[in-house]
Amino acid sequence: MKQDIVKQSVSKLCFRNKAILAPMVRVGTLPMRLLALEYGADTVYCEEVVDIKMLQCRRIINDVLETVDFVAPDERVVFRTCKKEKDFVVFQMGTADAERALAVAKLIENDVAAIDVNMGCPKEYSTKGGMGAALLTNPDKVESILSTLVKGISKPVTCKIRILPSLEDTISLVKLIERTGVSAVAVHGRVKEERPQHPVHCDVMKAISEALSIPVIANGGSHDYIKEFSDLETFKQLTGAASVMVACAAMWNPSIFRKGGLLPLEEVMKEYIKYAIKYDNYYSNTKYCLCQMLREQLESPRGKKLHAAQSSQEICEIFELEDFYKETAEMLQARKAALEVQTQEEDQAEDTDVIKMAVRFVKREYPPQITPKMCLLEWSRKQYLPQPEYDTVQRPLDRFFCSTVTVDGKKYRSTVWEKSKKLAEQAAAIACLRTLQLPEGRLSEGENNPIHKRKRDEKEAINGTGVTEDTDLECAHKKQQIIQKTSELDSSAVPQ
């Protein structure tokens, strides 16, 4: 029964007779993938994401954008996807380790249609780590990675390769790949040293297609063959492939996937910008993709303005989309505000045992090296209480933080969400200290603050102008020991 379920899931994405958007670094982000699907692409590959980077990410549901985000520790979105593309997007990873590859696949498989391994990237940053084209000459590792993925997940697994200098070696490699159980293999018809200006080897791809029973996806025809949609079929016939994957031609004009023909570039660029704004794409990435579309027009007045743009709003102004930008920003802000209200209401309904206060930590109000957390810890120690415990959560809505501190069995929390975990914990400490009417270390509290006093006393002791309470106790204790020992010697002395 379980095997039937797996087979049913794996068969969802078909790789025969498909027009496919190729994985492209910096280009294959969500706006480009959605635009390609809108114009008629059957399947879209995301840009390569290295396994180690992906494993550092947290999966967050972004209710404002209605996306699923995989966010790095520095809060940068590494991969963003949405429901519209869930059944059509293939996640491509860069990897040189079977176990890491499986860990990434398990992390992402419920949000994508298939998993692909990059085995063709010739760039040094990829091959140095044993990834990309470096795998072409390491068949044992290829077999290990692909077999592990096929056995370990329920979604289809594919890989993308380049051809080897020898046809015999190439056929041997693809047959090994087929034996691992992958659903398809994409082939860029050039060796790793060749670039787009070199002719693509259609004859080699045709030999591969004839040698395998699984679908072969032909890639690399943009410069020589693919200028409009009808050329995809021509390239497919030349290579004998099951499907065609388009890179450069789609980067220049994503409407290459339209059966009705290419659309004017101006219209295409505006549609791309709308997707970029709607899904909060990084402006630098948006600008890069638009520059690839402009190509020879980069030196035009509009091209120069685009090159100088420093925000998404400026990009919209260049393309006369100011109203769209404003309307979308207002819509997203309204959605965010509504969700914040909903979250606050849910917070108030829950955790009735938590003492709440709307406070926040403002660093400039405190002297260096003195914080509310320090004051709370100091007070807890003097009261012989356990160390305060902080429980911090992150809100998916905007990735802000809220912390609850437990002191002497009671919980305290600030209702203000903060940008960092540290700030949230300080705010929770303030809520506790103010509830208990204790000093929190602010400059306005002056010399009455116990931590100020302790630090002043320690400073005086170092300068020789005074001793601390601990030093007094230590000296008194030593003096008592000396007196006791002298008394014992006197009492036990024998006259000569």
Side-chain angles (χ1 to χ4, degrees):
M1 181 67 177
K2 187 177 179 181
Q3 289 180 344
D4 293 338
I5 294 172
V6 170
K7 285 179 181 178
Q8 185 180 359
S9 178
V10 169
S11 65
K12 282 184 179 179
L13 193 66
C14 174
F15 293 95
R16 293 190 184 277
N17 300 312
K18 302 298 178 183
I20 302 171
L21 176 70
M24 291 178 279
V25 175
R26 297 185 70 185
V27 175
T29 48
L30 183 58
M32 180 63 79
R33 300 196 303 267
L34 292 176
L35 188 59
L37 287 171
E38 180 184 320
Y39 286 143
D42 299 299
T43 308
V44 290
Y45 280 59
C46 76
E47 62 175 339
E48 176 197 33
V49 180
V50 175
D51 55 4
I52 295 175
K53 181 185 287 187
M54 193 65 182
L55 288 175
Q56 295 172 346
C57 293
R58 306 183 315 278
R59 181 185 182 273
I60 293 176
I61 297 175
N62 189 327
D63 291 318
V64 176
L65 299 178
E66 298 178 340
T67 60
V68 176
D69 298 344
F70 289 83
V71 184
D74 63 358
E75 298 303 313
R76 189 171 183 84
V77 177
V78 172
F79 177 69
R80 171 170 285 163
T81 185
C82 67
K83 188 177 180 180
K84 287 183 179 179
E85 68 166 4
K86 184 176 180 179
D87 295 331
F88 311 103
V89 63
V90 180
F91 179 84
Q92 186 186 67
M93 76 172 86
T95 185
D97 181 86
E99 294 307 315
R100 281 204 306 269
L102 181 59
V104 172
K106 285 183 175 294
L107 176 67
I108 194 78
E109 69 170 320
N110 291 328
D111 298 305
V112 297
I115 305 292
D116 182 80
V117 179
N118 183 350
M119 297 185 175
C121 180
K123 301 294 184 182
E124 188 178 9
Y125 72 84
S126 186
T127 56
K128 258 191 173 182
M131 302 180 292
L135 290 169
L136 296 174
T137 52
N138 194 337
D140 290 341
K141 188 165 283 188
V142 168
E143 183 176 20
S144 173
I145 292 171
L146 295 178
S147 297
T148 300
L149 287 174
V150 169
K151 293 173 185 176
I153 64 173
S154 61
K155 294 293 175 71
V157 177
T158 65
C159 68
K160 186 171 184 289
I161 68 168
R162 282 188 174 234
I163 62 175
L164 294 167
S166 160
L167 176 60
E168 183 180 353
D169 291 341
T170 302
I171 297 298
S172 176
L173 175 66
V174 294
K175 281 182 173 289
L176 178 147
I177 290 171
E178 183 179 41
R179 288 196 298 271
T180 64
V182 296
S183 298
V185 56
V187 182
H188 184 150
R190 295 181 178 89
V191 297
K192 68 177 182 178
E193 292 80 14
E194 291 178 328
R195 293 296 174 265
Q197 61 269 26
H198 295 100
V200 64
H201 301 281
C202 293
D203 55 334
V204 177
M205 286 192 282
K206 188 166 188 177
I208 294 170
S209 299
E210 292 171 351
L212 301 183
S213 59
I214 60 172
V216 173
I217 305 168
N219 174 232
S222 290
H223 283 264
D224 300 329
Y225 297 99
I226 301 173
K227 308 301 176 188
E228 57 185 13
F229 179 80
S230 60
D231 295 334
L232 271 67
E233 182 61 30
T234 303
F235 189 59
K236 182 180 169 216
Q237 295 298 326
L238 282 170
T239 58
S243 296
V244 174
M245 178 180 279
V246 187
C248 291
M251 177 177 68
W252 298 328
N253 190 332
S255 67
I256 190 76
F257 294 109
R258 281 187 81 247
K259 293 180 180 179
L262 291 168
L263 290 172
L265 192 59
E266 172 89 4
E267 180 180 339
V268 172
M269 294 176 80
K270 285 186 175 182
E271 288 302 310
Y272 173 81
I273 293 170
K274 287 179 180 178
Y275 274 119
I277 299 303
K278 185 177 179 181
Y279 289 99
D280 194 25
N281 200 46
Y282 292 114
Y283 90 89
S284 56
N285 179 255
T286 302
K287 183 166 79 169
Y288 175 83
C289 291
L290 291 171
C291 286
Q292 304 312 305
M293 295 183 201
L294 277 179
R295 300 171 72 194
E296 66 273 1
Q297 298 178 43
L298 274 174
E299 293 304 315
S300 66
R302 172 174 280 183
K304 290 179 180 179
K305 286 182 181 179
L306 175 62
H307 189 70
Q310 293 298 308
S311 69
S312 295
Q313 185 173 358
E314 288 183 22
I315 292 173
C316 286
E317 289 170 358
I318 293 167
F319 287 86
E320 300 173 352
L321 290 170
E322 302 99 315
D323 291 342
F324 176 83
Y325 178 85
K326 183 180 178 181
E327 290 169 5
T328 305
E330 289 175 353
M331 181 268 291
L332 293 176
Q333 188 59 40
R335 189 183 293 172
K336 181 179 177 181
L339 288 167
E340 283 177 350
V341 170
Q342 181 182 338
T343 302
Q344 288 174 0
E345 290 174 351
E346 290 173 354
D347 287 345
Q348 290 172 1
E350 298 174 358
D351 300 332
T352 53
D353 61 329
V354 179
I355 299 170
K356 299 166 188 173
M357 188 179 293
V359 293
R360 69 187 330 153
F361 174 68
V362 181
K363 191 173 182 180
R364 65 175 177 273
E365 295 180 359
Y366 297 81
Q369 300 179 344
I370 294 180
T371 65
K373 282 184 69 176
M374 183 188 298
C375 293
L376 184 57
L377 178 62
E378 182 87 3
W379 180 81
S380 298
R381 285 174 175 171
K382 286 184 178 180
Q383 300 299 315
Y384 300 103
L385 296 173
Q387 184 172 315
E389 293 183 4
Y390 294 87
D391 180 22
T392 307
V393 296
Q394 187 177 35
R395 183 167 60 187
L397 173 66
D398 51 15
R399 300 200 289 277
F400 275 33
F401 294 86
C402 183
S403 186
T404 302
V405 62
T406 302
V407 178
D408 194 21
K410 294 182 179 178
K411 297 179 180 180
Y412 306 85
R413 177 193 303 162
S414 170
T415 56
V416 179
W417 289 75
E418 298 285 359
K419 290 184 178 181
S420 73
K421 182 181 177 183
K422 290 181 179 178
L423 290 175
E425 290 179 352
Q426 295 291 358
I430 293 173
C432 176
L433 291 165
R434 291 188 185 178
T435 301
L436 299 175
Q437 298 183 345
L438 297 171
E440 59 190 75
R442 282 190 299 175
L443 289 167
S444 59
E445 293 171 358
E447 298 299 320
N448 295 324
N449 190 296
I451 290 188
H452 286 271
K453 185 176 184 303
R454 179 170 59 80
K455 288 186 176 289
R456 186 176 67 251
D457 291 344
E458 289 174 355
K459 186 175 181 180
E460 289 175 355
I462 293 170
N463 293 335
T465 59
V467 293
T468 63
E469 184 181 346
D470 291 342
T471 307
D472 283 339
L473 290 172
E474 186 178 354
C475 290
H477 180 65
K478 287 184 177 179
K479 185 176 180 180
Q480 181 65 30
Q481 286 182 324
I482 293 170
I483 292 170
Q484 186 177 352
K485 286 184 179 179
T486 304
S487 176
E488 289 173 355
L489 287 170
D490 290 344
S491 63
S492 62
V494 178
Q496 295 288 327

